[in-house]
Amino acid sequence: MTAAAEIVLDAATGQPVHLPPELARKLLTCANDGAVAACLGLTLPQRIRARNDALMQAAQELVTDGATTWQNAQQLAQAVKRFELALLPALRAGQDLPLSPHESALWRAYQVSGARPLRSPRKLYSLLLLY
């Protein structure tokens, strides 16, 4: 039996466990509906905040010197589009792909259930202004 399975079984029997971050992320990806996410204690605002934090990390990885906020939003929107077309289907199918730092952040943003992804430069611009 794998260590991850043992941890989950221990938790199911009521024993206190410490989840490694990777296992916690995988469990969260299984939580595709609001009821499961609510059982895990994640409210919609918390899920949106997690998505936004991941998008902001991706934006920080992509930022170039001298670029305006609007240019950064456009660049992030292009990265999101490339990610959705090239990597997202394979990642959702369970493939383990090497990801750049901004792609890892985008993957975390897409793993948040119940929080719709932001794709348009206008919405990403608004997000960048807020943070």
Side-chain angles (χ1 to χ4, degrees), residues 5-126:
E6 289 178 17
I7 290 172
V8 173
L9 288 173
D10 288 345
T13 62
Q15 297 178 34
V17 297
H18 175 73
L19 291 179
E22 180 180 308
L23 178 58
R25 281 192 296 273
K26 287 181 180 180
L27 289 172
L28 285 174
T29 62
C30 298
N32 288 330
D33 64 15
V36 175
C39 288
L40 292 173
L42 299 173
T43 63
L44 180 59
Q46 288 172 320
R47 289 179 277 160
I48 290 171
R49 193 172 307 115
R51 178 209 56 202
N52 290 351
D53 289 345
L55 286 171
M56 286 304 300
Q57 184 177 357
Q60 289 171 353
E61 295 291 338
L62 292 169
V63 73
T64 56
D65 291 336
T68 65
T69 305
W70 175 247
Q71 290 169 329
N72 290 336
Q74 289 178 314
Q75 187 177 17
L76 181 57
Q78 290 171 354
V80 166
K81 186 176 182 176
R82 283 191 307 271
F83 177 80
E84 285 181 340
L85 293 173
L87 298 173
L88 188 59
L91 290 168
R92 284 192 172 154
Q95 291 183 14
D96 189 21
L97 302 174
L99 300 174
S100 68
H102 82 273
E103 291 166 344
S104 293
L106 289 174
W107 177 226
R108 281 193 310 281
Y110 275 84
Q111 288 177 306
V112 178
S113 65
R116 296 177 58 176
L118 299 179
R119 294 179 182 97
S120 77
R122 182 182 54 80
K123 289 183 181 181
L124 292 167
Y125 176 76
S126 296

